[in-house]
């Protein structure tokens, strides 16, 4: 199993920026794709962004494309989510995952482990 610890959330005004981090430990996390998901109150957890194991390929939900950037540092076993031009609808708890890319993109119910999440609140 891989252990995941998210950090970097907080309260920000609309139009502001935050940078989330997710530190992974346990199984060889650097050989897996990593992704970010978010869950707002009363809503399902939804895909936000993913990055391949070597960082060559990135994927984004339509709602965040052009505003969010995912990156990773395999030497630190850490994935980042730079969030710019934040909107109130980005308010959610953000979670990261380390899995096969196909699982992250198409089968979030199969993701084996999640971190505790980090709260992002965007005020209008």
């Amino acid at each position: 199993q891989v252990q995941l610890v998210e950090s970097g959330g907080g309260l920000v005004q609309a139009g502001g920026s935050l940078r989330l981090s997710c530190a992974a430990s346990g199984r060889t996390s650097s050989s897996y794709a990593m992704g970010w998901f978010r869950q707002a109150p009363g809503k399902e957890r939804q895909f936000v962004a993913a990055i391949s194991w070597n960082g060559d390929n990135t994927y984004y939900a339509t709602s965040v494309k052009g505003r969010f950037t995912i990156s990773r540092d395999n030497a630190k076993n850490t994935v980042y989510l730079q969030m710019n031009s934040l909107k109130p609808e980005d308010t959610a708890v953000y979670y990261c995952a380390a899995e096969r890319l196909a699982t992250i993109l198409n089968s979030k119910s199969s993701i084996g482990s999640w971190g505790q999440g980090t709260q992002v609140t965007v005020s209008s």
Side-chain angles (χ1 to χ4, degrees):
Q1 283 283 15
V2 63
Q3 290 76 47
L4 303 164
V5 179
E6 302 95 337
S7 62
L11 173 63
V12 63
Q13 289 188 333
S17 298
L18 283 174
R19 188 194 195 205
L20 306 184
S21 299
C22 172
S25 60
R27 68 180 184 195
T28 310
S29 54
S30 61
S31 63
Y32 285 82
M34 297 191 75
W36 286 96
F37 292 77
R38 66 187 181 187
Q39 188 166 17
K43 296 189 176 181
E44 286 191 2
R45 193 166 299 188
Q46 63 177 194
F47 169 77
V48 175
I51 187 166
S52 60
W53 71 272
N54 59 2
D56 282 354
N57 298 292
T58 57
Y59 308 81
Y60 297 93
T62 302
S63 59
V64 307
K65 196 172 295 184
R67 300 187 298 122
F68 291 10
T69 302
I70 189 171
S71 62
R72 67 188 296 165
D73 183 340
N74 285 345
K76 297 181 178 180
N77 287 330
T78 301
V79 64
Y80 305 97
L81 187 68
Q82 178 67 43
M83 306 187 295
N84 298 329
S85 303
L86 282 161
K87 304 175 181 180
E89 50 264 43
D90 294 319
T91 296
V93 178
Y94 283 70
Y95 301 88
C96 68
E99 288 286 353
R100 294 183 303 167
L101 184 60
T103 301
I104 291 175
L105 295 178
N106 303 312
S107 185
K108 66 177 183 291
S109 61
S110 299
I111 292 174
S113 59
W114 299 94
Q116 83 289 348
T118 186
Q119 176 71 48
V120 171
T121 303
V122 184
S123 63
S124 57

